[in-house]
Amino acid sequence: MLLRDTALLFGRYARQTLRSPFQIFFGVLMPLLYLLFFGPLLTGLPLGREGDSWQILVPGLLLQLGLFGASFAGFSIIMEKGWGVFDRMRVTPVSRLALLLGRVLRDAALFVFQAVLLVLAAIPMGLRAPVVGILVGFGFVALLSAALASLSYALALKLRTPQEFGPAINTLAMPAMLLSGLMLPMALAPGWLDVVSHLMPFRYLVDAVREAYIGHYTTPTMLYGVLVALGLTALAVTVGTRTFRSAGASLG
Amino acid sequence: MPIISTAGLARTFTGRNGPVEAVRGIDLTVRPGEILGLLGPNGAGKTTTLRMLTTLLPPTGGTATVAGHDLVENPAAVRRHIGYVAQSGGLDPQETVRSELVTQARLYGQDRAGAAARAEELAADLGLTELLDRRTPALSGGQRRRLDLAMGLTHRPEVLFLDEPTTGLDPGSRTDLWALVRRLRDEHGTTVVLTTHYLDEVDALADRLVIVDKGTVVAEDSPAGLKAAHGATTLQEAFLAVTGRGPAPADTTPVAV
Ligand SMILES: Nc1ncnc2c1ncn2[C@@H]1O[C@H](COP(=O)(O)OP(=O)(O)O)[C@@H](O)[C@H]1O
Ligand SMILES: [Mg+2]
């Protein structure tokens, strides 16, 4: 029942996304601009860790893509609520978890697709990385997108007015990006900033993807990255499902 | 055996300026095959009541059984037996009529082929066949409402909840919709609970009407019984006698049909 309903809703949302090429390609634009106009500044700079500048920047851009893209996923449910589609579906016997997972899987697929485009664009810029490492990176993008999209949907359902949603997400996503060292590794940071950034779960993810891009798959950094990514996803899906179950409890 | 029974059903919202008691304890029994009109001015608590009875909103007080299942204990079972058409419908502007009907049937458990067939059947029944491949924003108000209704009928529910089904429709579309509701009950024995603030609507359609005001039931009778009880010749007079005011601001009342 859960699998069938999830597949059904994934199909509906995936088809809606495919009908909107703008939505598919727009998300790649910001990281692509960083790749083109910021990436070349870093070649030759000492970045405080193993790997060339592309092996350090591209993992950061991949997670930035997931971070910003998935955080705003909740907008779609605000729209659906406004149209009455969300309630129309909740009144059917469809699995509540499927209502969340169908969306979240579409989001994960979309952001992994965008990540593939970004990596393809990075290769002519000078990126060299092992294929396995690149695939591991996509895995992290998928988990991060799924986790953040779930939280975004939960937040969108909790807020009383849609106008609060955009500012709330920006306020959360900007410090999250800066404190995770997505653009430049936190190895460059003074002590206090390094400590603060360790409180930010995305820090562990980006460090792990950077390890993967230099072919290190069995280091403690990778282990922490995997554990944090899985933990974050499990937590986020739990929060998301609880919110979907009780949606309407506080709002009309 | 009533198909719906509620006891003290209540809902309080926690608003910005303190609690809002939208529904203050509603006792209701509905017989199978009955058409019940829930009548009341704007803000009376009609929508909140329907949202509770359709499992969309957990009650903060009271109990209810719908189609043989407890609302709170077993919402999933309730959902299988009921259909709901919200006040403002529930159509996705990115989808076509056909894809909405097919998705809805699949959400109710039909397989792909069954859902496609059901979509055709419902479209034929509700005069939507010509429109199947149109996107939903390209429908007229009356066509939209027929599609909303088709979505609620996908799984042939025993109980159908309609929230202000005719608000905003032209007189012709309103009478068409009334005929449809009557046909549902006569041919399939469907129980229909509808809300409205149009008196002519309950007069024409409902076997029994329940007047809610400020979240409680203030009167409950057949349209004829209510008129007789208040010595009124029209439902308008009876309504005024019960609530002390009209059911809706004058400008929202449609011209007589
Ligand atoms: N989500 C909500 N939060 C706070 N108050 C609400 C909410 N939904 C409805 N209300 C209030 O509950 C009362 C009843 O509303 P409603 O059930 O929509 O009335 P009706 O459908 O009869 O017009 C109104 O005062 C309305 O403002
Ligand atoms: Mg209402």
Side-chain angles (χ1 to χ4, degrees):
Chain A
M1 200 55 195
L2 173 62
L3 282 183
R4 175 199 176 275
D5 287 351
T6 302
L8 171 66
L9 290 163
F10 171 79
R12 175 179 169 100
Y13 294 122
R15 277 192 301 277
Q16 289 182 351
T17 300
L18 287 174
R19 282 200 295 263
S20 160
F22 177 80
Q23 197 196 339
I24 298 176
F25 293 104
F26 183 73
V28 204
L29 189 62
M30 185 168 70
L32 196 62
L33 291 175
Y34 273 102
L35 188 73
L36 291 176
F37 303 139
F38 180 70
L41 303 179
L42 301 181
T43 54
L45 288 184
L47 294 177
R49 57 175 297 148
E50 207 182 320
D52 75 14
S53 69
W54 298 109
Q55 287 168 316
I56 291 171
L57 179 66
V58 173
L61 292 180
L62 289 181
L63 294 192
Q64 185 206 30
L65 186 158
L67 177 65
F68 277 89
S71 307
F72 283 98
F75 261 123
S76 68
I77 214 161
I78 291 179
M79 307 271 278
E80 274 204 0
K81 254 186 108 183
W83 296 325
V85 175
F86 186 58
D87 273 354
R88 168 196 126 203
M89 289 188 177
R90 281 201 314 130
V91 100
T92 72
V94 71
S95 148
R96 311 291 106 166
L97 184 54
L99 285 177
L100 176 69
L101 289 184
R103 287 183 167 78
V104 164
L105 291 179
R106 184 270 316 263
D107 297 328
L110 172 63
F111 296 119
V112 169
F113 176 74
Q114 294 183 347
V116 171
L117 294 183
L118 194 71
V119 168
L120 289 178
I123 290 169
M125 301 290 295
L127 173 70
R128 296 293 174 272
V131 173
V132 174
I134 288 179
L135 293 178
V136 168
F138 293 149
F140 274 96
V141 171
L143 286 177
L144 177 75
S145 314
L148 287 178
S150 298
L151 293 177
S152 180
Y153 291 125
L155 182 69
L157 289 178
K158 287 266 179 212
L159 289 181
R160 271 163 200 280
T161 61
Q163 298 91 303
E164 292 170 6
F165 184 74
I169 292 297
N170 267 322
T171 310
L172 295 172
M174 273 309 282
M177 179 187 87
L178 293 170
L179 286 176
S180 320
L182 293 191
M183 291 300 133
L184 293 171
M186 275 295 162
L188 299 172
W192 66 268
L193 187 57
D194 192 40
V195 169
V196 174
S197 91
H198 272 105
L199 302 176
M200 190 53 68
F202 315 125
R203 158 96 198 242
Y204 300 89
L205 273 60
V206 71
D207 282 350
V209 181
R210 284 178 178 144
E211 290 278 290
Y213 269 50
I214 52 174
H216 296 172
Y217 308 123
T218 53
T219 59
T221 307
M222 179 60 77
L223 179 67
Y224 293 145
V226 170
L227 290 180
V228 171
L230 290 176
L232 189 66
T233 309
L235 180 75
V237 171
T238 310
V239 169
T241 314
R242 289 177 63 133
T243 316
F244 270 60
R245 282 234 166 81
S246 66
S250 61
L251 325 170
Chain B
M1 246 308 258
I3 195 154
I4 300 173
S5 64
T6 76
L9 196 65
R11 173 75 210 194
T12 304
F13 292 103
T14 40
R16 283 235 163 99
N17 319 313
V20 180
E21 292 182 75
V23 176
R24 293 163 195 259
I26 285 198
D27 304 314
L28 208 63
T29 37
V30 185
R31 290 187 311 275
E34 195 172 23
I35 299 181
L36 181 81
L38 265 183
L39 191 68
N42 285 325
K46 303 182 296 294
T47 296
T48 306
T49 303
L50 286 203
R51 285 173 55 80
M52 286 193 283
L53 292 175
T54 53
T55 76
L56 289 172
L57 189 66
T60 49
T63 56
T65 312
V66 179
H69 301 279
D70 187 275
L71 196 60
V72 177
E73 301 290 313
N74 200 354
V78 171
R79 288 181 193 124
R80 277 192 288 275
H81 298 278
I82 61 162
Y84 173 56
V85 179
Q87 199 165 332
S88 46
L91 301 176
D92 192 319
Q94 309 165 75
E95 300 287 338
T96 63
V97 172
R98 186 191 305 276
S99 81
E100 287 294 58
L101 287 173
V102 169
T103 303
Q104 189 76 348
R106 302 213 62 206
L107 289 173
Y108 278 107
Q110 291 259 22
D111 64 15
R112 215 180 281 268
R118 183 66 181 142
E120 292 281 354
E121 189 180 22
L122 279 167
D125 246 14
L126 292 170
L128 296 165
T129 304
E130 254 54 310
L131 307 168
L132 271 172
D133 295 306
R134 231 187 238 188
R135 289 201 188 250
T136 59
L139 301 180
S140 75
Q143 292 166 342
R144 264 185 91 80
R145 220 54 190 140
R146 290 210 301 279
L147 177 55
D148 284 327
L149 198 65
M151 306 278 284
L153 293 174
T154 306
H155 54 304
R156 302 184 178 87
E158 287 166 51
V159 188
L160 182 64
F161 294 93
L162 304 174
D163 198 359
E164 298 198 19
T166 63
T167 301
L169 292 190
D170 62 66
S173 307
R174 293 183 75 215
T175 40
D176 286 351
L177 209 120
W178 293 351
L180 252 161
V181 169
R182 264 190 226 106
R183 208 181 83 204
L184 264 176
R185 190 269 300 278
D186 296 345
E187 289 176 12
H188 303 281
T190 311
T191 308
V192 182
V193 177
L194 63 92
T195 76
T196 183
H197 48 224
Y198 298 141
L199 297 167
D200 56 341
E201 190 150 302
V202 281
D203 221 357
L205 205 52
D207 303 313
R208 199 154 59 89
L209 65 89
V210 167
I211 301 182
V212 283
D213 194 19
K214 304 194 186 81
T216 50
V217 174
V218 292
E220 187 178 347
D221 211 333
S222 65
L226 196 75
K227 283 182 233 173
H230 293 274
T233 50
T234 66
L235 214 46
Q236 175 82 25
E237 286 171 35
F239 190 92
L240 269 168
V242 171
T243 64
R245 61 204 144 95
D251 59 350
T252 63
T253 311
V255 289
V257 184

